[in-house]
Amino acid sequence: MKGIRELAQHLDISIGTVSRALNGKPDVNEETRKRVLEAAESLGYVANQSGRALRKGATGVIGFMMQTGSEITGQGDTFFMSVFDGVQTVFARHKLDLVALLCSSEEDPNDYLKRVVARGFADGIILSATRRHDARFELLAKRKIPFITLGRSLTDVGQPWLDLDFEGMAEASIDRLVSRGHKHIAVTRPHDDMNLGYVFEDQCRVTLARHGLHLDERHVFRSTPNEAGGYQIARQLSALANRPTAIVLINEAITVGLYRGLVEAGIRPGRDMAIIGRQSPHSQFLSPRLTSFSLSLRDVGIALAESLLATMPAFADIYPSTSARILWPMTLVPGESD
């Protein structure tokens, strides 16, 4: 069964009557409604969702834009899978569907989003990988498309956002390492223009200055957010004449590669090099146990979805007290690596 026209022909009833019966309209008698519903089920009728969306002015779809590519996701990205779970938990309450918008690392994100917007298949957008200056914000604001960002930017159009508390992570890490006698501390940041790198590095500098210390430019390591990126940092560390005694890792995926690279270079994590990072499904198997920051990514997804829906007229009344801008805390879990 292809559609409503065939269903109406099969029942010898007008298309209008079949449509009203399927949509629960009160002007259809119960016997006719029952007959239509039974026939629809037995014949495998599927509603034309694009037609419904056109009539309602809504698609019931929310897009989550993220970048893909081996340099970004490495051996598998569990971060977004956990966030997606939380987001869809909320959307399921309202019969909304989450669609991942996968922008290749070889394509310009602005061009990709323009194409998505032109097709008009999403009622709202969640943006990730926010850059220092991000033209995507202005594009969506100009088109009046509801959106929320996972991350901040200097570009600000008044949109809601949720970001991890990288300032808090930087401050707590530097304070902990300085209290243990470290004066030469290295930090990592993304290889590209992601805003979180600026936020994290700036706060590390501020916290070090509070202790009368400074961050050596040679001790700021950029890397891709994957295992290979961590391994490359270890190679760079081992080649330094005056090596730092500690390092803080902003990305959870690079830790495994860093450990391996250090061990190969004869540098023992937790003894020759103190390490503080972020928890991941893989970090629990590292030895020595990683001192790390943890958070519930599923809860992050729930908060993202609720904050987005709070900006959409159809759902705003359901989430009246939802915060528009959230700085999400991370909890320090002591280990043996520092």
Side-chain angles (χ1 to χ4, degrees):
M1 180 65 65
K2 290 183 178 180
I4 194 169
R5 183 181 301 277
E6 288 83 1
L7 182 59
Q9 289 174 348
H10 172 80
L11 292 167
D12 196 22
I13 299 176
S14 72
I15 293 175
T17 300
V18 171
S19 175
R20 292 196 300 277
L22 290 170
N23 287 289
K25 300 296 183 181
D27 60 344
V28 179
N29 70 61
E30 284 306 312
E31 184 178 340
T32 300
R33 188 190 318 281
K34 182 180 179 183
R35 184 179 167 213
V36 169
L37 293 177
E38 287 178 349
E41 183 176 356
S42 64
L43 297 174
Y45 164 76
V46 178
N48 184 329
Q49 294 299 330
S50 61
R52 282 189 173 185
L54 224 82
R55 292 190 296 273
K56 292 170 61 180
T59 65
V61 170
I62 305 294
F64 194 124
M65 181 176 171
M66 58 180 289
Q67 289 186 276
T68 63
S70 59
E71 284 194 350
I72 297 171
T73 56
Q75 300 304 309
D77 195 330
T78 58
F79 180 95
F80 282 107
M81 290 300 102
S82 299
V83 172
F84 287 167
D85 182 45
V87 170
Q88 188 56 43
T89 295
V90 175
F91 289 169
R93 302 172 193 161
H94 310 289
K95 300 191 183 306
L96 297 171
D97 293 311
L98 175 67
V99 173
L101 305 173
L102 306 179
C103 176
S104 166
S105 57
E106 298 179 3
E107 182 173 7
D108 180 80
N110 299 333
D111 292 339
Y112 177 85
L113 185 60
K114 286 177 184 176
R115 191 165 69 249
V116 168
V117 168
R119 288 176 176 159
F121 76 91
D123 299 333
I125 300 285
I126 300 173
L127 295 179
S128 64
T130 54
R131 291 165 289 173
R132 190 66 163 172
H133 299 278
D134 205 317
R136 297 177 300 170
F137 295 20
E138 294 163 337
L139 169 64
L140 293 175
K142 184 178 180 180
R143 296 296 187 94
K144 299 188 182 332
I145 298 174
F147 75 102
I148 186 171
T149 63
L150 178 55
R152 289 164 281 172
S153 171
L154 292 183
T155 305
D156 191 337
V157 295
Q159 85 291 341
W161 54 256
L162 184 153
D163 201 3
L164 304 187
D165 185 9
F166 292 108
E167 295 98 331
M169 176 187 172
E171 186 169 13
S173 298
I174 298 298
D175 283 346
R176 181 178 174 91
L177 291 169
V178 171
S179 71
R180 298 184 170 210
H182 296 280
K183 296 182 179 180
H184 303 288
I185 301 170
V187 303
T188 67
R189 59 173 298 168
H191 68 298
D192 53 19
D193 196 42
M194 285 184 64
N195 189 62
L196 66 90
Y198 294 93
V199 170
F200 183 70
E201 182 182 335
D202 288 349
Q203 188 59 50
C204 285
R205 292 186 185 279
V206 168
T207 308
L208 282 166
R210 176 161 53 79
H211 292 287
L213 302 171
H214 77 282
L215 180 60
D216 191 320
E217 292 293 342
R218 294 169 299 177
H219 295 167
V220 178
F221 295 94
R222 291 177 175 265
S223 78
T224 52
N226 55 24
E227 299 82 355
Y231 186 81
Q232 183 60 39
I233 290 173
R235 297 283 298 271
Q236 294 169 347
L237 277 168
S238 64
L240 291 175
N242 296 308
R243 201 167 57 228
T245 60
I247 187 168
V248 186
L249 312 178
I250 192 172
N251 180 273
E252 70 279 1
I254 66 177
T255 313
V256 172
L258 181 86
Y259 263 56
R260 175 171 177 172
L262 290 178
V263 170
E264 287 183 2
I267 302 169
R268 296 169 297 176
R271 292 194 178 186
D272 304 322
M273 176 74 64
I275 303 169
I276 297 178
R278 284 173 51 198
Q279 266 189 13
S280 74
H282 308 108
S283 65
Q284 61 182 311
F285 300 107
L286 293 172
S287 180
R289 186 164 48 90
L290 182 68
T291 294
S292 58
F293 287 83
S294 71
L295 71 158
S296 169
L297 293 174
R298 185 175 186 275
D299 288 345
V300 165
I302 289 172
L304 262 178
E306 291 182 346
S307 293
L308 173 61
L309 294 183
T311 70
M312 300 172 68
F315 308 101
D317 290 344
I318 304 172
Y319 303 100
S321 58
T322 302
S323 299
R325 296 186 164 182
I326 304 169
L327 196 58
W328 196 271
M330 294 184 276
T331 303
L332 178 66
V333 180
E336 302 153 347
S337 63
D338 65 332

